[in-house]
């Protein structure tokens, strides 16, 4: 059951429900203005918590007070928000995710959130409200799509955003709903097992999205890929009985505006090919299409919010399997732009399919490029699971992409693309090799992609291998797919919409 959201003009402490949710800030012993009414009704109970130090406002600290009839809600949930100056959109998103997860776990059906604190912050209220709503929806997202037994239905049915100045909130709430639903859409795609999300099925999901949003939609099948000469994608696809697809969604017709090209890796299952993975490493390889999922999720938001920027999204979709026709170590494949790639390792397939997708995005008019891919274990070793690796150029474009990610709560860190690394992917018999070995593995993967990007086009590669999935529940989100990239891409598109026409 989907979480229902509504906006009320009333003071939050006058609204009925199971619990009222408010923030406490670390280091502030004075009662926040947003809690003065509730504190009066509770005979100073909140003030006493603060003065005694029992509630410190530390980030994610949760305190529940029973109101005993003093408020229309039976409980007051106080969440520590950390320092007031550190109240970023990402933090708000996570706190609202935590609040709905607490409510749902405790069996509450209606949660009231007093958000005057957010809307009153200068120059940030709109963004914080959007983050709050999207975070609540992500917090309610579940990964148990296939459970048939011992499935506990969601208890929380309604989140009410309440405050006397709520008239101006609706647009931000609607945008937050759109963003939260799109992130959960991407998470759901990644969660689906490969048998239920073949290249054909994923392409049809993209087609349905395109029709819903009014995009110009192109789905290239195997015959069309053969005719256009997409030899790199076709080579990877040879080992599977599932035919490949290339997805293209086009939004916008704004003369003089840039065209953002978003390219998402879509390996719906990666066995490693003939350089086969071991069983443990293969288990999660249904998630190797996380880049494509994020791309489609971002397009869902872009189509709804309609920023004044042109966007073309391209996703190469295939399995990487070990069938009799599978491509082999030592093969040389010819990519869409005519460059040849010597295959040293069939498990380095993501960069091979992205080569054709990057070319196709440029042929489709992209003036700026971002690609997202669960590309390398090396990036996981370098940055872990909390930060996405970024490589590309020129520097101004890379910094702009990183800024969009950091502002969206999806931290990014730039890794160097030194020319010396390029020596590792030189081939004796072809233009490039598809694997540079273990040293600087994230960078050599990115350098191969750079071979398929025109020097005049700004390009950033996001290696989301470490950030696309979470192995454990957090206070604000269920374990599994994270939907990483959706927020960053949407923010990037929105900032590009403000650029002056060329």
């Amino acid at each position: 059951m989907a979480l229902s959201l509504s906006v009320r003009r009333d003071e939050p402490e006058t609204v009925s429900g199971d619990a009222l949710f408010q923030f406490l800030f670390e280091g502030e012993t004075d009662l926040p203005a947003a809690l003065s009414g509730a504190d009066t009704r509770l005979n100073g109970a909140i003030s006493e918590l603060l003065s005694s130090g029992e509630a410190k406002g530390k980030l994610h600290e949760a305190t529940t007070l029973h109101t005993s009839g003093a408020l229309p809600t039976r409980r007051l949930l106080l969440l520590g928000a950390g320092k007031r100056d550190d109240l970023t959109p990402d933090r708000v998103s996570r706190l609202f995710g935590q609040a709905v997860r607490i409510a749902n776990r405790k069996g509450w059906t209606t949660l009231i959130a007093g958000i005057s604190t957010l809307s009153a912050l200068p120059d940030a209220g709109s963004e914080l409200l959007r983050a709050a709503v999207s975070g609540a929806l992500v917090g309610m997202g579940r990964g148990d799509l296939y459970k048939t037994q011992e499935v506990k239905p969601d208890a929380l049915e309604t989140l009410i955003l309440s405050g006397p100045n709520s008239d101006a909130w609706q647009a931000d709430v609607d945008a937050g709903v759109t963003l939260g639903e799109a992130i959960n859409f991407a998470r759901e795609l990644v969660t689906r097992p490969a048998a239920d999300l073949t290249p054909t099925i994923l392409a049809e999901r993209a087609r349905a999205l395109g029709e819903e949003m009014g995009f110009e939609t192109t789905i290239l099948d195997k015959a069309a890929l053969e005719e256009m000469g997409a030899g790199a994608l076709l080579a990877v696809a040879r080992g599977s009985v599932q035919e490949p697809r290339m997805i293209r969604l086009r939004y916008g017709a704004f003369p003089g505006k840039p065209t953002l090209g978003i390219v998402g890796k879509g390996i719906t299952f990666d066995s490693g090919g003939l350089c086969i993975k071991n069983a443990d490493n293969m288990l999660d390889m249904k998630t190797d299409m996380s880049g494509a999922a994020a791309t489609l999720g971002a397009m869902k938001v872009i189509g709804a919010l309609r920023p004044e920027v042109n966007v073309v999204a391209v996703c190469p979709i295939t399995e990487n399997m070990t069938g009799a026709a599978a491509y082999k170590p030592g093969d040389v494949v010819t990519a869409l732009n005519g460059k040849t790639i010597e295959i040293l390792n069939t498990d380095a397939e993501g960069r091979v399919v992205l080569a054709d997708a990057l070319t196709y995005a440029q042929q489709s008019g992209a003036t700026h490029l971002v690609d997202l891919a669960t590309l390398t274990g090396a990036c996981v070793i370098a940055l872990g699971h909390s930060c996405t690796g970024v490589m590309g150029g020129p520097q101004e474009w890379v910094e702009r992409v990183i800024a969009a990610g950091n502002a969206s709560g999806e931290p990014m860190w730039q890794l160097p693309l030194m020319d010396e690394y390029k020596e590792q992917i030189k081939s004796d018999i072809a233009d490039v090799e598809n694997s540079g070995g273990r040293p600087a593995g994230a960078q050599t993967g990115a350098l191969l992609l750079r071979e398929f990007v025109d020097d005049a086009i700004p390009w950033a590669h996001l290696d989301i291998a470490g950030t696309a999935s979470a192995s454990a529940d957090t206070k604000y989100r269920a374990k599994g797919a994270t939907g990483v990239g959706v927020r960053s891409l949407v923010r990037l598109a929105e900032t590009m919409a403000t650029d002056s026409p060329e």
Side-chain angles (χ1 to χ4, degrees):
M1 179 177 60
L3 180 66
S4 172
L5 286 103
S6 63
V7 174
R8 294 275 294 270
R9 292 189 60 184
D10 306 295
E11 292 286 357
E13 63 268 21
T14 67
V15 182
S16 297
D18 288 296
L20 170 63
F21 155 51
Q22 293 277 25
F23 289 157
L24 291 179
F25 292 98
E26 186 176 2
E28 298 184 9
T29 56
D30 292 335
L31 185 73
L35 284 168
S36 60
D39 190 52
T40 298
R41 290 168 180 250
L42 291 169
N43 296 317
I46 306 172
S47 297
E48 186 176 346
L49 278 175
L50 293 173
S51 61
S52 67
E54 291 179 71
K56 301 179 184 300
K58 289 186 176 181
L59 185 61
H60 294 302
E61 174 191 74
T63 303
T64 302
L65 290 176
H66 287 262
T67 64
S68 301
L71 296 176
T73 55
R74 296 176 60 190
R75 306 163 190 85
L76 175 63
L77 173 63
L78 302 174
L79 278 189
K83 302 286 187 181
R84 186 182 292 266
D85 291 343
D86 295 335
L87 195 66
T88 62
D90 177 50
R91 179 165 292 185
V92 168
S93 176
R94 295 183 180 206
L95 287 167
F96 269 73
Q98 180 185 8
V100 298
R101 286 176 65 79
I102 289 173
N104 197 43
R105 185 174 65 248
K106 290 182 175 293
W108 306 342
T109 60
T110 303
L111 181 67
I112 295 94
I115 55 177
S116 297
T117 300
L118 306 185
S119 60
L121 292 177
D123 303 323
S126 179
E127 195 171 359
L128 294 175
L129 288 169
R130 179 166 150 175
V133 173
S134 63
L137 291 177
V138 170
M140 289 294 291
R142 300 173 60 150
D144 55 351
L145 302 179
Y146 291 83
K147 281 196 173 184
T148 62
Q149 299 178 10
E150 299 181 1
V151 180
K152 186 177 180 181
D154 289 329
L156 186 62
E157 299 174 357
T158 305
L159 174 63
I160 299 172
L161 309 176
S162 185
N165 55 342
S166 62
D167 288 347
W169 295 352
Q170 194 62 54
D172 298 317
V173 171
D174 292 344
V177 169
T178 297
L179 182 58
E181 289 180 345
I183 294 169
N184 284 340
F185 168 74
R187 295 170 71 198
E188 179 253 321
L189 290 177
V190 177
T191 301
R192 295 283 177 191
D196 287 353
L197 199 75
T198 64
T200 301
I201 294 173
L202 182 53
E204 289 308 309
R205 295 287 297 269
R207 188 190 302 278
L209 173 63
E211 291 175 354
E212 176 190 353
M213 295 296 167
F215 298 146
E216 176 191 312
T217 303
T218 303
I219 307 294
L220 301 177
D221 61 13
K222 181 180 178 182
L225 292 168
E226 289 172 342
E227 183 177 354
M228 73 187 295
L233 173 55
L234 288 165
V236 175
R238 286 206 307 259
S240 175
V241 297
Q242 301 290 339
E243 290 193 356
R245 295 289 186 268
M246 184 88 84
I247 297 166
R248 183 180 68 186
L249 303 177
R250 191 190 297 277
Y251 160 82
F254 302 103
K257 287 287 191 175
T259 297
L260 173 62
I262 305 172
V263 178
K265 174 187 170 186
I267 303 295
T268 58
F269 190 78
D270 180 18
S271 71
L274 293 179
C275 299
I276 195 165
K277 298 176 184 289
N278 64 42
D280 289 342
N281 289 340
M282 202 187 302
L283 180 61
D284 292 328
M285 284 300 101
K286 67 178 185 178
T287 69
D288 212 16
M289 38 62 68
S290 296
T295 298
L296 297 179
M299 291 300 288
K300 189 175 178 71
V301 183
I302 290 167
L305 301 186
R306 308 198 70 77
E308 292 190 9
V309 62
N310 304 305
V311 184
V312 58
V314 174
C315 300
I317 312 297
T318 185
E319 293 182 337
N320 182 28
M321 298 295 287
T322 60
Y327 78 139
K328 308 169 186 66
D331 282 356
V332 174
V333 303
T334 302
L336 181 57
N337 71 346
K339 285 190 177 181
T340 55
I341 307 171
E342 182 184 6
I343 305 302
L344 299 192
N345 187 334
T346 64
D347 195 23
E349 86 297 329
R351 63 203 71 181
V352 178
V353 301
L354 286 170
D356 281 349
L358 287 165
T359 299
Y360 187 47
Q362 291 165 91
Q363 291 177 348
S364 301
T367 60
H368 299 70
L369 281 171
V370 176
D371 74 76
L372 302 89
T374 45
L375 204 73
T376 67
C379 195
V380 183
I381 298 302
L383 298 177
H385 297 281
S386 300
C387 191
T388 291
V390 185
M391 291 145 276
Q395 188 61 27
E396 293 81 3
W397 176 245
V398 174
E399 290 176 357
R400 185 169 190 178
V401 173
I402 291 173
N406 291 342
S408 303
E410 296 182 335
M412 299 181 183
W413 193 264
Q414 186 175 6
L415 298 174
L417 285 186
M418 298 166 59
D419 286 340
E420 287 82 353
Y421 294 141
K422 194 173 178 180
E423 295 294 318
Q424 294 174 226
I425 59 169
K426 279 189 173 180
S427 169
D428 292 332
I429 64 170
D431 294 321
V432 286
E433 296 174 345
N434 81 321
S435 176
R438 290 175 63 84
Q443 290 95 318
T444 56
L447 282 168
L448 180 68
L449 298 181
R450 193 173 73 176
E451 291 292 314
F452 300 90
V453 177
D454 188 281
D455 290 340
I457 293 183
W459 159 72
H461 161 62
L462 309 185
D463 193 330
I464 60 172
T467 52
S469 297
S471 60
D473 286 348
T474 66
K475 293 180 183 296
Y476 53 87
R477 186 184 60 213
K479 67 179 180 180
T482 64
V484 71
V486 175
R487 289 185 174 97
S488 301
L489 292 172
V490 171
R491 187 176 185 90
L492 180 63
E494 288 183 318
T495 64
M496 292 179 70
T498 65
D499 290 349
S500 300
E502 295 177 353

